[in-house]
Amino acid sequence: MAELQTLKYGTEDCYPSRIYSKPVRIPRQDPVVYSKASDNAPLTAAQIAEYERKGFLFLDDLFTQQELALMIEEMQRMREDPSIKNREESITEQNSGAVRSVFSLHTLSDVFAKLAEDPRLVAIAEYLLGDKVYIHQSRLNYKPGFSGKEFFWHSDFETWHTEDGMPRMRALSMSIALTKNEAQNGPLMLIPGSHKSFISCVGETPKNHHLHSLKKQEFGVPDEQSLIQMVREGGIETAIGPLGRITLFDCNTMHGSNGNITPNPRSNLFFVFNAVSNQVTNPFAKVPARPEYIGTRDSIKPLKSVIFN
Amino acid sequence: MAELQTLKYGTEDCYPSRIYSKPVRIPRQDPVVYSKASDNAPLTAAQIAEYERKGFLFLDDLFTQQELALMIEEMQRMREDPSIKNREESITEQNSGAVRSVFSLHTLSDVFAKLAEDPRLVAIAEYLLGDKVYIHQSRLNYKPGFSGKEFFWHSDFETWHTEDGMPRMRALSMSIALTKNEAQNGPLMLIPGSHKSFISCVGETPKNHHLHSLKKQEFGVPDEQSLIQMVREGGIETAIGPLGRITLFDCNTMHGSNGNITPNPRSNLFFVFNAVSNQVTNPFAKVPARPEYIGTRDSIKPLKSVIFN
């Protein structure tokens, strides 16, 4: 692990959290888009500008119907496979015991391993992050009908920084909708512009926090006043859209979702791409690192480069 | 109370619930609209037809801006008044302790007592129910920002019948929006057409059920298969709309709401109008009747008639 200390940025804590007794709003100290404008960019200039400004972007029609059918079939297979349900990679609902998430899809499934390396996705991640990339985390999120629980507002980066040791904001998520996302079934909500500042949260991180936080968040929770201010500035956008839509969002974009009492489940596939130069070091919260299936640490494999090779 | 037994319909249990070991779907045995078409009707023929078919109707622009401002002021006053917060009429959130509902508004507030007698509201209730009417229940629902909890699908009539002894489906609710109802802040969801059948729920009613059910529903809960079928038939409509919108809905229309993690609260005022000929008898679940502030029993006062006087 010694070589992980020789980071481009050093291991200085630019985004302290869970340290102060009051919440602090810290300006972002990193670019959002790391590459210069280029005719070869995998996104249009308007898309890039929108991503830079809002911290997220919706992409439709990237996959064929056959590709989506294959993903859905694999999702169903994994959810019903008892050998997967009983693995530590599977997170179940606190009350119902239903599968809520399966982590490390790219190591548990050949179909999803191939999808993570899809040049259409890798090109976008490499372009925005200006580097070769690897999968820091992947997961299947399943919000079942009737009993899907809410997920409170959070910045993924806050957790990845404090609990995984991700040094800087040079990562992004792609959420692929494997059901229609409707206004009523607990869709992802995002706060435009929230990625431009970091909310330093209050409260220390207990050991083995991940065993609970994946079910119910209690630490690393942004304060209400900061959220009220961010919503006043940027409003809330909801990722309502068709099957197959990709919601591309910066690692620091504030997001969350309401519960789901409708009969309609909501399923999404998540890939987190991190820049190879931004690989994790020791957790900044000075807690033991989370397991490999939640945050890649030992088995960093740069994805086959599309743009820079 | 003896005279309450001499009901027009008798006290036969036409809608048994919490009795059988399996859920049963029973066809509605009562009209939805009790009056004949008339040029004097307070709703258009199209509105009446829509209400009959869907079991609900949205009405905008009934109140002036001044009237709405007065209602909001009174709502704020009541929520902040410690002498009201500590009354049994006030229901608080299970976790946060924040006020979620205040019952019996029409007895606690002169402003809302006057509103309940407003001829614009009374005329609609009398027309649809074909009778003089009284307030069976009134309440202020406040879904606070960040921590507003979900309310699972239910038919109000199922509760009013089993726990309050309301004999037949001859009541309706008017919900007046005192905030904007947005897609994201846990708005009311309704299943069109669900009022045309009664879901007989499984499970006996424990004594003093109302002390818990107003916070978290556990009995009188419709089964998932019936809900899936109803949503397949009618879909889900969401009461998204401006401040002041009235959602008028039949006592048996299936409705519920998701939680609310947004900073924006959602407040509504509810009046339940019941036909004088449909006043309550002994609860059909054979439990002690709920308190007067939840279901009017002893102090039935017909509202000043608009159409029939």
Side-chain angles (χ1 to χ4, degrees):
Chain A
M1 297 288 292
E3 72 281 10
L4 290 183
Q5 303 301 325
T6 61
L7 288 160
K8 189 173 164 190
Y9 301 107
T11 52
E12 182 199 356
D13 189 355
C14 297
Y15 300 108
S17 188
R18 312 188 195 182
I19 289 172
Y20 307 130
S21 60
K22 285 187 181 176
V24 185
R25 189 167 170 180
I26 300 167
R28 182 184 182 111
Q29 296 170 59
D30 298 302
V32 178
V33 177
Y34 280 80
S35 294
K36 288 185 182 159
S38 156
D39 292 342
N40 295 328
L43 297 168
T44 67
Q47 286 176 316
I48 296 165
E50 184 177 347
Y51 178 82
E52 205 284 329
R53 178 170 50 84
K54 297 204 311 195
F56 58 91
L57 189 66
F58 302 122
L59 300 171
D60 289 319
D61 304 322
L62 210 87
F63 300 112
T64 66
Q65 291 305 312
Q66 285 93 328
E67 287 172 323
L68 288 171
L70 186 66
M71 291 182 215
I72 291 165
E73 193 187 322
E74 180 69 353
M75 167 183 78
Q76 300 291 12
R77 187 194 67 74
M78 291 183 78
R79 188 181 305 140
E80 284 154 26
D81 185 341
S83 75
I84 287 181
K85 188 170 179 172
N86 293 327
R87 290 184 70 102
E88 58 180 359
E89 286 89 343
S90 292
I91 312 297
T92 51
E93 292 272 346
Q94 212 157 18
N95 300 325
S96 67
V99 173
R100 170 168 164 163
S101 300
V102 181
F103 278 81
S104 204
L105 288 184
H106 66 296
T107 66
L108 292 179
S109 155
D110 291 342
V111 171
F112 293 133
K114 205 175 154 199
L115 180 61
E117 292 201 291
D118 189 293
R120 291 168 291 186
L121 305 186
V122 175
I124 293 170
E126 287 187 340
Y127 180 79
L128 292 173
L129 303 177
D131 199 355
K132 288 178 193 279
V133 297
Y134 70 96
I135 298 291
H136 173 67
Q137 186 186 94
S138 69
R139 65 181 195 268
L140 177 64
N141 283 329
Y142 178 62
K143 183 167 278 202
F146 297 118
S147 63
K149 289 287 167 281
E150 67 186 32
F151 215 104
F152 197 71
W153 299 107
H154 62 287
S155 149
D156 287 330
F157 177 77
E158 197 278 342
T159 303
W160 299 338
H161 182 70
T162 52
E163 299 191 27
D164 294 342
M166 184 182 285
R168 305 293 290 242
M169 295 180 185
R170 197 169 185 169
L172 58 80
S173 294
M174 290 192 199
S175 161
I176 303 170
L178 294 186
T179 52
K180 220 164 109 178
N181 278 6
E182 299 169 301
Q184 298 157 337
N185 64 347
L188 187 70
M189 299 188 288
L190 309 107
I191 304 179
S194 57
H195 63 308
K196 299 251 171 126
S197 43
F198 178 79
I199 304 298
S200 177
C201 302
V202 168
E204 271 188 56
T205 313
K207 277 188 192 175
N208 288 323
H209 175 220
H210 70 276
L211 292 178
H212 312 288
S213 70
L214 301 172
K215 297 195 182 188
K216 192 171 186 316
Q217 195 75 18
E218 285 171 40
F219 301 88
V221 176
D223 63 293
E224 296 189 356
Q225 276 314 310
S226 298
L227 288 169
I228 287 169
Q229 189 57 35
M230 281 182 159
V231 170
R232 200 171 285 154
E233 291 164 9
I236 297 172
E237 265 193 54
T238 307
I240 298 171
L243 178 70
R245 161 171 286 192
I246 299 177
T247 304
L248 174 70
F249 60 105
D250 179 80
C251 59
N252 190 45
T253 302
M254 198 64 80
H255 62 286
S257 57
N258 282 318
N260 177 23
I261 68 162
T262 80
N264 306 321
R266 184 178 68 76
S267 299
N268 292 66
L269 194 68
F270 262 82
F271 289 121
V272 179
F273 296 91
N274 189 24
V276 167
S277 58
N278 192 40
Q279 62 192 260
V280 298
T281 176
N282 295 323
F284 287 87
K286 299 188 174 48
V287 289
R290 301 194 297 178
E292 188 74 15
Y293 69 88
I294 297 181
T296 307
R297 174 173 302 275
D298 297 326
S299 56
I300 289 170
K301 292 182 201 127
L303 299 170
K304 197 178 163 209
S305 189
V306 175
I307 292 184
F308 301 95
N309 63 358
Chain B
M1 295 288 293
E3 72 281 13
L4 290 183
Q5 303 301 325
T6 61
L7 287 161
K8 188 174 167 188
Y9 301 108
T11 54
E12 182 198 355
D13 188 356
C14 296
Y15 299 107
S17 188
R18 313 188 196 181
I19 289 171
Y20 307 130
S21 60
K22 285 186 180 177
V24 184
R25 189 167 171 179
I26 299 167
R28 182 185 183 111
Q29 295 170 59
D30 298 303
V32 178
V33 178
Y34 280 80
S35 295
K36 288 187 181 156
S38 155
D39 291 343
N40 295 328
L43 296 169
T44 67
Q47 285 176 318
I48 295 166
E50 184 178 346
Y51 178 81
E52 205 285 328
R53 178 170 50 84
K54 297 202 312 193
F56 58 90
L57 188 67
F58 302 122
L59 300 171
D60 289 320
D61 305 322
L62 211 86
F63 300 112
T64 65
Q65 290 305 311
Q66 284 95 325
E67 287 173 322
L68 288 172
L70 185 66
M71 293 181 214
I72 291 166
E73 194 186 321
E74 180 68 353
M75 166 183 79
Q76 300 290 11
R77 188 195 66 74
M78 291 184 78
R79 189 181 304 140
E80 284 154 27
D81 184 341
S83 75
I84 286 182
K85 188 171 178 170
N86 293 327
R87 291 183 71 102
E88 59 179 358
E89 286 90 342
S90 293
I91 312 297
T92 51
E93 292 273 345
Q94 212 158 18
N95 299 325
S96 67
V99 173
R100 171 168 162 163
S101 300
V102 181
F103 278 79
S104 203
L105 288 184
H106 66 296
T107 66
L108 292 180
S109 155
D110 291 341
V111 171
F112 292 133
K114 205 173 155 200
L115 181 61
E117 291 202 292
D118 189 293
R120 292 168 291 186
L121 305 186
V122 174
I124 293 171
E126 287 188 340
Y127 180 80
L128 292 174
L129 302 177
D131 198 356
K132 289 179 192 278
V133 297
Y134 71 97
I135 297 292
H136 173 67
Q137 185 186 94
S138 68
R139 65 182 195 268
L140 177 64
N141 282 329
Y142 178 62
K143 184 167 276 202
F146 296 119
S147 63
K149 289 288 168 279
E150 68 186 31
F151 215 104
F152 196 71
W153 300 106
H154 62 288
S155 148
D156 288 330
F157 177 77
E158 197 278 340
T159 304
W160 299 337
H161 183 69
T162 53
E163 300 190 28
D164 294 342
M166 184 182 284
R168 305 295 289 242
M169 295 180 185
R170 197 168 185 170
L172 57 79
S173 295
M174 291 191 198
S175 161
I176 304 170
L178 295 186
T179 53
K180 219 164 108 179
N181 278 6
E182 300 169 301
Q184 299 157 338
N185 64 347
L188 187 69
M189 300 188 288
L190 309 108
I191 303 179
S194 57
H195 63 308
K196 298 252 171 125
S197 43
F198 178 78
I199 304 299
S200 176
C201 302
V202 168
E204 273 187 55
T205 314
K207 278 188 191 175
N208 288 323
H209 176 220
H210 70 275
L211 292 178
H212 312 288
S213 70
L214 300 172
K215 298 194 181 189
K216 192 171 187 313
Q217 194 75 17
E218 283 171 43
F219 301 86
V221 176
D223 62 295
E224 295 190 356
Q225 276 315 309
S226 298
L227 289 170
I228 288 170
Q229 189 57 33
M230 281 183 159
V231 169
R232 201 172 284 152
E233 290 163 10
I236 297 172
E237 265 194 54
T238 308
I240 297 171
L243 177 70
R245 160 171 287 193
I246 298 178
T247 303
L248 174 69
F249 61 104
D250 178 80
C251 58
N252 190 44
T253 301
M254 197 63 79
H255 61 286
S257 57
N258 282 317
N260 177 23
I261 68 162
T262 80
N264 306 322
R266 183 178 70 77
S267 299
N268 292 67
L269 194 68
F270 263 82
F271 289 121
V272 179
F273 297 91
N274 190 23
V276 167
S277 58
N278 192 39
Q279 61 192 260
V280 298
T281 176
N282 295 324
F284 288 86
K286 301 187 173 44
V287 288
R290 302 194 295 177
E292 187 75 15
Y293 70 87
I294 297 181
T296 307
R297 174 173 302 275
D298 297 325
S299 55
I300 289 171
K301 291 183 202 129
L303 299 171
K304 198 180 162 208
S305 189
V306 175
I307 292 183
F308 301 94
N309 63 357

